[in-house]
Amino acid sequence: MSYKKCAGRLLEQDDFLLVTHKNPDGDCMGSAAALCSALRRKGKRAFLYPNPQTNRKLLPFVEEFFAPADFVPRYTVAVDVADRNMLAQGFDGSVDLMLDHHPTEKDRGVPSLVHPEKASCGQVVLKLLQSMGLKPTVQEANLLYIALSTDCGCFRYANTDAAALEAAAELLRCGAENHRLNELFFNKLSPARMKLEGMIYDSMGFYRNGELVIALVTNDMMARAGADLEDCDDLAGIAGRAAGSRMSITIRELEDGGSKVSVRSQPGLSSREVCLAFGGGGHELAAGCSIDATPKRARELLLAVVNEVWK
């Protein structure tokens, strides 16, 4: 649907619950919280689903919007969720509307506002707020800046285009505190995270004359570093720092023994095509999937697929 139609739909409804995805990142939480705030300014009753996996950096920005236990929604919006099986841990309700920037091969089955050309869902929500006749408050600008900057890697990733920078400039004009947010989300690391990064560098394998880099993150590495899931934010960007790399893959071992896979690539190589082979998805330059195998076995399976995709 169009922005105008979506804005009209939202203004017709009330008692909103905004739902994010599993292992929520800055884009989904920032976008959902900004929309929640905007709906409240329009006189609506709106809350976020209290995603139990929200990390400690994001929690201070979004927890004030979490729904109380006795809240009964009448209209549920999924934010930055490409597929129903990615909905937040513990959520089992129905969805009435989806806002997203991820392309998908599937029919989402509900009305959707989807713009795959956007670098972040935060840009979709920014445009939606404007279609509702609202200028972001300072708080909303901060939330949307978190959404945009985290999905663009502080504007270093290949998805950073003119539209993303124009959106960032608009958020700064609305009062977004970019210096403070950049310092918090990109410049500060816990000691455990720093130890873990050292181990990740040691684990890296280089293939295809160094153009493909694969990093492993095992449960043993996590334990030796004293790291937890809070220290795993944006691990996918580490392997791609290697000079000469065009595609990087990060494989993180899960507690159940499976593996979570993040693929990043340069223009001309499809991360999404690699992940689709394992039931995942995402963007051409950034995608993810899960593989029911140990990290070493997952690496073997991924290498076989990459060699098929990357002629």
Side-chain angles (χ1 to χ4, degrees):
M1 64 173 64
S2 68
Y3 284 105
K4 182 178 180 181
K5 184 175 180 180
C6 185
R9 177 74 60 89
L10 291 174
L11 294 175
E12 292 171 354
Q13 305 296 330
D14 207 345
D15 293 325
F16 291 91
L17 182 66
L18 308 180
V19 184
T20 50
H21 58 66
K22 294 175 183 175
N23 299 306
D25 57 10
D27 191 20
C28 72
M29 296 305 295
S31 298
L35 179 58
C36 185
S37 173
L39 288 170
R40 290 179 179 184
R41 286 203 287 141
K42 280 293 187 179
K44 307 296 183 179
R45 193 171 182 226
F47 294 100
L48 296 190
Y49 175 78
N51 195 319
Q53 296 178 308
T54 306
N55 71 45
R56 55 178 167 254
K57 283 188 178 180
L58 290 169
L59 195 59
F61 293 91
V62 302
E63 62 183 337
E64 69 179 89
F65 299 103
F66 282 178
D70 61 350
F71 176 64
V72 179
R74 288 193 291 161
Y75 199 81
T76 300
V77 182
V79 182
D80 196 43
V81 182
D83 187 81
R84 182 172 175 82
N85 63 17
M86 295 174 62
L87 286 165
Q89 188 180 87
F91 176 80
D92 60 0
S94 61
V95 172
D96 301 295
L97 175 69
M98 300 186 82
L99 308 178
D100 198 14
H101 69 126
H102 295 100
T104 179
E105 305 292 334
K106 302 176 182 178
D107 178 6
R108 296 175 185 253
V110 296
S112 303
L113 176 63
V114 182
H115 282 269
E117 79 282 3
K118 300 296 187 185
S120 72
C121 194
Q123 290 168 265
V124 176
V125 172
L126 174 60
K127 180 70 173 178
L128 184 57
L129 262 62
Q130 293 167 341
S131 297
M132 294 166 62
L134 295 173
K135 176 183 176 181
T137 63
V138 171
Q139 182 183 32
E140 291 160 7
N142 279 334
L143 290 165
L144 292 175
Y145 183 85
I146 291 170
L148 176 59
S149 64
T150 53
D151 250 27
C152 291
C154 204
F155 309 103
R156 294 178 291 109
Y157 294 166
N159 63 342
T160 303
D161 55 13
L165 294 174
E166 287 165 358
E170 176 62 22
L171 294 171
L172 295 188
R173 284 191 288 268
C174 293
E177 301 163 285
N178 61 314
H179 176 74
R180 178 173 73 90
L181 298 174
N182 290 344
E183 187 75 5
L184 174 64
F185 285 95
F186 303 104
N187 292 342
K188 298 298 183 184
L189 298 174
S190 69
R193 170 58 181 258
M194 297 175 79
K195 292 178 183 177
L196 182 62
E197 286 198 10
M199 296 179 193
I200 292 171
Y201 286 123
D202 284 341
S203 80
M204 286 182 186
F206 297 82
Y207 309 87
R208 303 183 70 99
N209 296 317
E211 292 188 326
L212 170 64
V213 183
I214 301 181
L216 304 184
V217 185
T218 66
N219 289 333
D220 177 66
M221 290 164 61
M222 296 276 288
R224 284 188 287 126
D228 56 24
L229 290 179
E230 298 283 322
D231 297 303
C232 292
D233 188 45
D234 198 30
L235 289 180
I238 295 174
R241 296 173 185 169
S245 69
R246 296 182 59 207
M247 177 179 283
S248 62
I249 301 176
T250 302
I251 306 170
R252 180 170 65 82
E253 186 176 13
L254 301 175
E255 290 184 3
D256 63 6
S259 297
K260 178 184 177 181
V261 178
S262 299
V263 184
R264 301 291 184 267
S265 59
Q266 297 298 313
L269 295 175
S270 176
S271 297
R272 184 165 175 261
E273 193 171 350
V274 172
C275 292
L276 283 173
F278 299 96
H283 300 283
E284 285 298 296
L285 306 183
C289 63
S290 295
I291 299 178
D292 187 17
T294 65
K296 288 185 177 180
R297 176 56 180 158
R299 179 173 59 191
E300 295 174 5
L301 297 171
L302 284 158
L303 279 169
V305 170
V306 169
N307 287 331
E308 286 295 317
V309 169
W310 188 348
K311 300 295 184 181

